[in-house]
Amino acid sequence: MDRETRALADSHFRGLGVDVPGVGQAPGRVAFVSEPGAFSYADFVRGFLLPNLPCVFSSAFTQGWGSRRRWVTPAGRPDFDHLLRTYGDVVVPVANCGVQEYNSNPKEHMTLRDYITYWKEYIQAGYSSPRGCLYLKDWHLCRDFPVEDVFTLPVYFSSDWLNEFWDALDVDDYRFVYAGPAGSWSPFHADIFRSFSWSVNVCGRKKWLLFPPGQEEALRDRHGNLPYDVTSPALCDTHLHPRNQLAGPPLEITQEAGEMVFVPSGWHHQVHNLQELCAVQEEVSEWRDSMPDWHHHCQVIMRSCSGINFEEFYHFLKVIAEKRLLVLREAAAEDGAGLGFEQAAFDVGRITEVLASLVAHPDFQRVDTSAFSPQPKELLQQLREAVDAAAAP
């Protein structure tokens, strides 16, 4: 990120204020970025990241990936032989697309060898099986095989707070491999913590139905539940979905082999991370007066539902803040690739705003922070001083 782009980004976020936007409308078409050499990080920030719009990058952006060279046959199909030789005995998570479990699918675990056997039989049987349509989902291949030459991180997504956090803890990550036959699918969902995401098709084709932030509210049923399948005829039932007519059509993308889709923040169904604690407190509000340490129990329930509570969220912010402060202290030169001074300064500004909001939150103020190092207000002061220093000419 260059200084001019950081100034534009800072100005953009300062102008957002705290108002929640209303129901948005999907653009008429998705932008297609064809040439890597003619598209800079600044172009991405200005054209898509700040306006929060999706785009598709051509296969030229991923042509050097090891997965594209080794996982695919010359005919463009999955190279089952290579995958079996390399990962055949690895245990992978597999979802049953034909069974609804709340707003997701039940999962089982099997070896990749068994899954590929199923996949071949499914194709031979005319894309059907008494076992249903099984979809390999959320396989942490890069975490489990870190030396594998699977992909190269695109510069556009180099400031990746969630994966940086998990990498620092050496526990988890949000880099997933999905694989399945025609007919496999993922139910309507939001990306975790309302983050943006990006997805590459190593081979095959994929159809995306994208809804801009706000439209998911019109898709809720009369009980307030989001749909499991937005293509279901049930959404036409105005008694069950009284506001469905207010939702505009989705933005539809057909993703070809090698192409990369950028999914902006808040697209699909979103905001679960922002509403989770409120939802938990509403669910258990009747026990507020009788339940000892009610706020602590809300944090426990929030973690079980969303995977994080306030204490862990502070630790997440601290890890990223310390990494960015280190870059600023070392006055790293912008090298045009990866993280540089301007990107770190921009990130510190955003972390400062989020941490200030967290520190001011009444429920966070009930959290025991005595063992936190540094203390939240101390870290906030460090960040504010870094913001001021970075803004100095």
Side-chain angles (χ1 to χ4, degrees):
M1 176 181 286
D2 56 45
R3 191 173 184 84
E4 181 183 355
T5 304
R6 175 165 72 91
L8 175 67
D10 284 337
S11 174
H12 171 85
F13 282 102
R14 282 197 300 270
L16 286 180
V18 296
D19 293 334
V20 177
V23 175
Q25 296 296 318
R29 57 184 293 274
V30 64
F32 187 79
V33 184
S34 57
E35 293 296 332
F39 190 73
S40 68
Y41 181 68
D43 293 331
F44 173 68
V45 170
R46 293 167 180 266
F48 304 102
L49 189 63
L50 294 184
N52 208 41
L53 293 173
C55 65
V56 177
F57 296 82
S58 76
S59 60
F61 286 83
T62 64
Q63 63 182 1
W65 285 19
S67 54
R68 289 196 60 197
R69 294 195 308 271
R70 292 189 292 271
W71 294 8
V72 187
T73 68
R77 300 184 181 278
D79 191 335
F80 289 142
D81 291 338
H82 171 81
L83 294 171
L84 287 171
R85 286 194 306 270
T86 311
Y87 310 111
D89 295 325
V90 176
V91 176
V92 296
V94 175
N96 190 332
C97 297
V99 179
Q100 180 177 352
E101 189 174 82
Y102 300 101
N103 260 33
S104 187
N105 308 118
K107 282 186 179 178
E108 59 180 301
H109 288 80
M110 64 180 69
T111 64
L112 183 64
R113 188 178 313 280
D114 289 343
Y115 181 70
I116 288 179
T117 297
Y118 155 82
W119 191 343
K120 292 178 177 178
E121 293 173 349
Y122 185 84
I123 295 173
Q124 291 168 357
Y127 292 89
S128 66
S129 168
R131 301 172 64 186
C133 182
L134 304 183
Y135 190 16
L136 191 162
K137 297 179 66 174
D138 302 329
W139 178 17
H140 293 266
L141 182 144
C142 294
R143 181 193 64 192
D144 299 336
F145 298 89
V147 298
E148 291 287 315
D149 175 25
V150 174
F151 77 104
T152 301
L153 179 65
V155 64
Y156 315 104
F157 313 119
S158 55
S159 183
D160 184 349
W161 294 10
L162 286 174
N163 279 314
E164 285 184 59
F165 173 67
W166 287 120
D167 289 347
L169 299 186
D170 196 22
V171 173
D172 204 350
D173 72 349
Y174 288 117
R175 305 176 185 99
F176 302 121
V177 170
Y178 288 62
S184 56
W185 63 295
S186 295
F188 191 60
H189 70 283
D191 290 319
I192 190 165
F193 305 143
R194 207 184 178 194
S195 62
F196 68 72
S197 66
W198 56 280
S199 178
V200 171
N201 259 356
V202 175
C203 64
R205 307 174 79 216
K206 189 174 185 178
K207 183 170 77 171
W208 295 70
L209 302 174
L210 293 153
F211 289 83
Q215 280 207 10
E216 77 290 339
E217 295 301 324
L219 297 174
R220 292 184 184 274
D221 64 20
R222 61 190 181 95
H223 305 293
N225 300 313
L226 289 166
Y228 169 72
D229 177 6
V230 294
T231 68
S232 170
L235 267 72
C236 297
D237 183 343
T238 55
H239 177 69
L240 183 59
H241 294 272
R243 301 184 64 221
N244 183 51
Q245 69 276 10
L246 300 177
L251 178 63
E252 184 170 326
I253 297 173
T254 300
Q255 183 185 17
E256 304 291 347
E259 293 180 348
M260 178 167 61
V261 171
F262 167 63
V263 182
S265 170
W267 286 64
H268 290 211
H269 67 84
Q270 89 295 343
V271 306
H272 290 188
N273 57 315
L274 299 180
Q275 294 182 345
E276 193 65 59
L277 180 59
C278 297
V280 168
Q281 291 178 338
E282 183 176 349
E283 289 289 334
V284 299
S285 60
E286 61 183 287
W287 296 290
R288 179 171 187 149
D289 296 328
S290 60
M291 180 186 290
D293 207 0
W294 181 81
H295 288 283
H296 170 72
H297 285 290
C298 285
Q299 291 291 319
V300 172
I301 296 170
M302 182 172 71
R303 188 186 190 285
S304 69
C305 294
S306 65
I308 199 168
N309 58 22
F310 273 152
E311 178 180 349
E312 292 167 323
F313 186 60
Y314 172 74
H315 184 56
F316 160 66
L317 291 176
K318 185 193 79 164
V319 168
I320 305 304
E322 290 177 342
K323 290 167 71 72
R324 297 302 186 269
L325 289 172
L326 179 62
V327 173
L328 296 184
R329 282 196 296 268
E330 295 177 345
E334 178 69 34
D335 58 8
L339 289 174
F341 180 87
E342 301 297 341
Q343 180 68 58
F346 172 74
D347 286 352
V348 164
R350 305 288 73 71
I351 297 168
T352 302
E353 293 176 2
V354 175
L355 181 57
S357 176
L358 182 68
V359 168
H361 198 290
D363 288 298
F364 181 74
Q365 293 171 2
R366 295 186 176 94
V367 175
D368 181 5
T369 64
S370 59
F372 288 14
S373 180
Q375 285 289 295
K377 290 183 178 179
E378 293 175 5
L379 178 59
L380 183 58
Q381 182 60 30
Q382 293 177 34
L383 289 167
R384 284 172 170 162
E385 291 173 357
V387 169
D388 291 341

